[in-house]
Amino acid sequence: CGGLVSDSSGMLQSPNYPGSYPNDADCVWEIQVENSFRVTLTFRDIAMESGTCQHDYIEIYDGPLHSSPLLGRFCSGSFPTYVSSSNMMSVRFHSDSRYSFRGFQAHYSSIPAGHNTTIQCLPDYMHIVVSRHYLQSQGYSAQGVTLKDSHCRPTVTSQEVVFNIPYNGCGTIQEENNDTIDYSNTIRVVSSASIIKRKKNINLHVSCKMLRKSWQQVMYAAEDTVEVNEYQFGRYDMNITFYDSPAFLRQVRSSPYYIDLNQNLYLQACLHNSDPNLKVVVDTCVASPDPHDFNTLAYYLVRNGCPRDSSYATYYSPSSHFARFKFNAFEFMSRHPSVYLKCQMLVCRLGDYSSHCYRGCSSRAKRDTSSAEEEVDVVVGPLQLREGAAPTGNTG
């Protein structure tokens, strides 16, 4: 139960609804709609063990589960409605080992945020748009909107003032904070009055926070003169590509990729991000004949950084944004027409030797919270046996 929900509207309900939900359930739904939209969630039915809500309960979070304010926790009563302050909301359903009831049903939809200032955290930069009409209505002009680094100027159109602020320049500050990597900058809005100044200057603090499984984007005003409060969430940009040799010069562009049994397969994972102080490593790679099911028939090549297949090996990479590795085409290729790989990558702070990027093989049921780490899943394939292929002698 649970998972990422990205449709613009839909229904959430407890497992087996309207039948009794199972004991010891712990489901988390992450609802993520488009940028510049918010999530509204309305409950239509609630039938759970009531009282103090210690045993069975529903929790609503204003963003990702572990890093966002709790909007509400309940188990009975009226049917509440919640609205997020961003394009993301998390819903957690928990039941214990005691009584079981019908559970809940809720409907969610996306509504326009309707703001005059927006922010997007893209792979290489923060994209901030300020409405000129909004500035003029507050008594400011587009010429008074600047960064502290005067070399980084905005693009001014007839409608908007647009900043593209890189994560590694223009005065952007990087900071590690518990399980996040923060990138922040300040946009200054200065009053254009030349003789008598009656309005305060405004500091718009913008930041992208690297969170577990998401980017969080924040904008707020340092002064009370103008209220600006904008949050958005996005995902890492990561891909994995096959190469035809350990030199990693030529990509394999054909799909499906036809191979021989025991043929060496060379792969490179690439993180697309402008921050040079990030490191990516392969955490887990599992193969399956079904691209949507990596549990029923699963073969692990590496798990939690520990090789499970004798042919799995890693290569030196010229950049911390790349992770290179290889393995041999394996036996169940002969029993299934296609094989897919799902690889979970870890992104950590470069030089953070307490992180799992540097620890290598480790058995960890519980993650440390001291290091900033992000997990990203990438599925590649299919791999298919070449017609009439026989095992090759490739072992290098």
Side-chain angles (χ1 to χ4, degrees):
C1 60
L4 177 64
V5 181
S6 56
D7 293 332
S8 59
S9 63
M11 195 80 70
L12 299 184
Q13 57 192 31
S14 51
N16 302 330
Y17 181 89
S20 297
Y21 52 76
N23 290 328
D24 300 314
D26 201 52
C27 313
V28 177
W29 292 268
E30 288 186 332
I31 307 171
Q32 182 178 342
V33 297
E34 292 183 24
N35 287 336
S36 303
F37 281 77
R38 300 187 179 198
V39 182
T40 177
L41 179 73
T42 302
F43 284 82
R44 297 178 170 179
D45 185 21
I46 304 170
M48 301 169 62
E49 184 178 359
S50 58
T52 59
C53 299
Q54 294 296 312
H55 306 292
D56 299 352
Y57 54 83
I58 301 165
E59 291 178 331
I60 313 298
Y61 290 86
D62 192 14
L65 181 70
H66 299 290
S67 55
S68 303
L70 179 67
L71 295 178
R73 175 174 175 162
F74 58 94
C75 56
S76 61
S78 60
F79 298 165
T81 294
Y82 296 93
V83 179
S84 67
S85 64
S86 71
N87 66 327
M88 192 172 184
M89 177 188 285
S90 295
V91 180
R92 181 188 181 199
F93 168 72
H94 176 83
S95 67
D96 66 3
S97 57
R98 299 175 65 188
Y99 309 110
S100 184
F101 297 84
R102 186 170 69 247
F104 77 90
Q105 186 181 69
H107 179 266
Y108 78 88
S109 59
S110 55
I111 56 174
H115 279 316
N116 296 299
T117 308
T118 60
I119 177 173
Q120 283 182 279
C121 287
L122 300 173
D124 293 322
Y125 54 86
M126 293 181 267
H127 179 71
I128 293 100
V129 178
V130 184
S131 163
R132 290 189 65 177
H133 175 75
Y134 168 67
L135 290 171
Q136 290 161 6
S137 70
Q138 301 295 322
Y140 299 94
S141 72
Q143 284 65 41
V145 184
T146 62
L147 286 178
K148 186 175 181 180
D149 185 341
S150 58
H151 294 97
C152 299
R153 300 179 181 277
T155 299
V156 180
T157 70
S158 60
Q159 304 289 326
E160 300 167 335
V161 179
V162 181
F163 283 93
N164 290 325
I165 306 174
Y167 298 127
N168 195 48
C170 290
T172 299
I173 298 170
Q174 303 174 15
E175 182 184 8
E176 217 168 321
N177 181 22
N178 289 332
D179 60 347
T180 66
I181 301 173
D182 302 355
Y183 303 92
S184 59
N185 211 314
T186 302
I187 298 173
R188 298 190 293 185
V189 184
V190 182
S191 173
S192 57
S194 56
I195 301 174
I196 300 176
K197 183 176 175 182
R198 298 187 184 276
K199 296 186 72 69
K200 293 181 179 179
N201 293 339
I202 306 299
N203 287 330
L204 299 178
H205 297 283
V206 295
S207 65
C208 290
K209 296 187 177 183
M210 184 95 75
L211 296 169
R212 219 167 46 85
K213 298 193 175 178
S214 66
W215 282 89
Q216 182 190 20
Q217 302 157 48
V218 186
M219 179 182 287
Y220 63 94
E223 306 273 6
D224 291 332
T225 315
V226 180
E227 291 285 340
V228 181
N229 196 349
E230 187 71 29
Y231 299 82
Q232 297 293 328
F233 295 88
R235 299 278 163 179
Y236 264 119
D237 187 6
M238 178 94 70
N239 69 354
I240 294 181
T241 309
F242 286 101
Y243 280 77
D244 66 354
S245 79
F248 291 93
L249 295 176
R250 290 188 300 274
Q251 293 185 12
V252 176
R253 301 188 182 276
S254 58
S255 182
Y257 180 17
Y258 289 99
I259 58 173
D260 300 312
L261 279 183
N262 295 331
Q263 176 181 335
N264 282 333
L265 304 176
Y266 306 95
L267 298 95
Q268 176 176 275
C270 178
L271 170 67
H272 300 283
N273 191 280
S274 65
D275 181 3
N277 297 308
L278 296 177
K279 179 179 176 64
V280 60
V281 299
V282 183
D283 184 67
T284 299
C285 258
V286 58
S288 168
D290 184 345
H292 308 293
D293 179 5
F294 287 88
N295 295 310
T296 307
L297 273 175
Y299 179 80
Y300 282 90
L301 298 164
V302 56
R303 192 170 193 177
N304 294 336
C306 304
R308 293 292 188 88
D309 181 274
S310 59
S311 70
Y312 176 85
T314 58
Y315 287 90
Y316 165 79
S317 172
S319 165
S320 62
H321 283 201
F322 296 155
R324 292 174 169 179
F325 58 103
K326 56 85 71 169
F327 62 91
N328 292 357
F330 30 84
E331 185 57 38
F332 78 70
M333 286 291 304
S334 61
R335 299 197 298 274
H336 300 281
S338 299
V339 170
Y340 296 81
L341 293 180
K342 182 169 81 168
C343 294
Q344 187 174 75
M345 315 303 297
L346 275 184
V347 181
C348 309
R349 201 85 180 125
L350 188 64
D352 179 8
Y353 295 100
S354 67
S355 72
H356 292 294
C357 288
Y358 288 91
R359 290 187 198 172
C361 177
S362 63
S363 57
R364 54 184 191 275
K366 186 179 179 183
R367 283 209 179 276
D368 299 339
T369 57
S370 59
S371 299
E373 296 175 6
E374 158 81 9
E375 293 180 353
V376 185
D377 287 345
V378 185
V379 177
V380 292
L383 298 169
Q384 292 187 1
L385 273 184
R386 190 177 287 117
E387 196 72 31
T392 68
N394 246 351
T395 56

